[in-house]
Amino acid sequence: QEDGSLVAWGFNNRGQSIIPFGLAGVTAISSGYYHNLALGSDGLVTAWGSNDFGEATVPANLDRAIAVAAGWRHSLALREDGTVAAWGLNSRGQTRVPAGLGDVVAISGGGEHSLALKDDGTVVAWGRNNRGQTRVPADLTGVIAISAGFDYSLALKDDGTVVGWGNDIGIP
């Protein structure tokens, strides 16, 4: 809503539809399997819902976030310095941020993989690759937006085209 407050509805078996008391000033949200992330105007991240794998346990040292992304059972935050924080289920390396990853401008969490868009228009992917979802096309450049599905990935290029890879993506 305009005042930064949230409204939630629907299935609530893991507390995912119960907004934490006093949560306000929200500038961005993201939903995972049974958990949610909210980014406050102060750069702090709030998480709620299922915490079976630590996906709703925000790291204590996480501040100055500018974006959040919830994967299936993991969570990501983009810091203002262009680095990425990740937590939650790491069974396939989805929270193991590649060493030296920086200059990130956008993030997305998929089923068991994660994506980062760098300021030079390139994409970095990590985590599960059973369907090719982290095998970024070698010649992919000029990317302005990304989105990770359960076992596939998408990139929007600056010329308006969409490139997909992973689970039998058939984008013309």
Side-chain angles (χ1 to χ4, degrees):
Q1 298 189 55
E2 287 183 29
D3 66 356
S5 64
L6 299 178
V7 176
W9 60 94
F11 198 54
N12 190 41
N13 68 325
R14 301 289 179 97
Q16 67 268 31
S17 295
I18 300 174
I19 298 168
F21 181 77
L23 183 61
V26 175
T27 60
I29 56 173
S30 185
S31 297
Y33 188 57
Y34 286 124
H35 75 290
N36 303 297
L37 302 174
L39 175 62
S41 57
D42 57 3
L44 296 179
V45 176
T46 301
W48 69 97
S50 175
N51 197 32
D52 295 340
F53 300 97
E55 63 267 38
T57 301
V58 179
N61 63 346
L62 178 59
D63 61 359
R64 299 183 341 264
I66 59 171
V68 291
W72 179 54
R73 297 234 186 221
H74 69 287
S75 301
L76 304 167
L78 174 59
R79 294 184 185 100
E80 67 182 9
D81 67 359
T83 61
V84 176
W87 63 97
L89 182 64
N90 192 38
S91 61
R92 306 294 185 183
Q94 62 268 44
T95 65
R96 196 174 308 118
V97 179
L101 179 63
D103 302 322
V104 175
V105 296
I107 52 176
S108 187
E112 294 177 299
H113 73 290
S114 302
L115 299 177
L117 173 60
K118 296 186 63 161
D119 64 2
D120 64 0
T122 61
V123 177
V124 177
W126 64 95
R128 189 171 190 174
N129 193 38
N130 65 317
R131 305 279 183 167
Q133 62 268 45
T134 63
R135 196 170 25 257
V136 180
D139 59 347
L140 183 63
T141 60
V143 176
I144 59 171
I146 53 174
S147 187
F150 190 79
D151 55 7
Y152 64 94
S153 300
L154 299 172
L156 173 63
K157 295 183 60 163
D158 55 11
D159 65 3
T161 60
V162 175
V163 176
W165 61 97
N167 190 23
D168 300 323
I169 295 295
I171 297 174

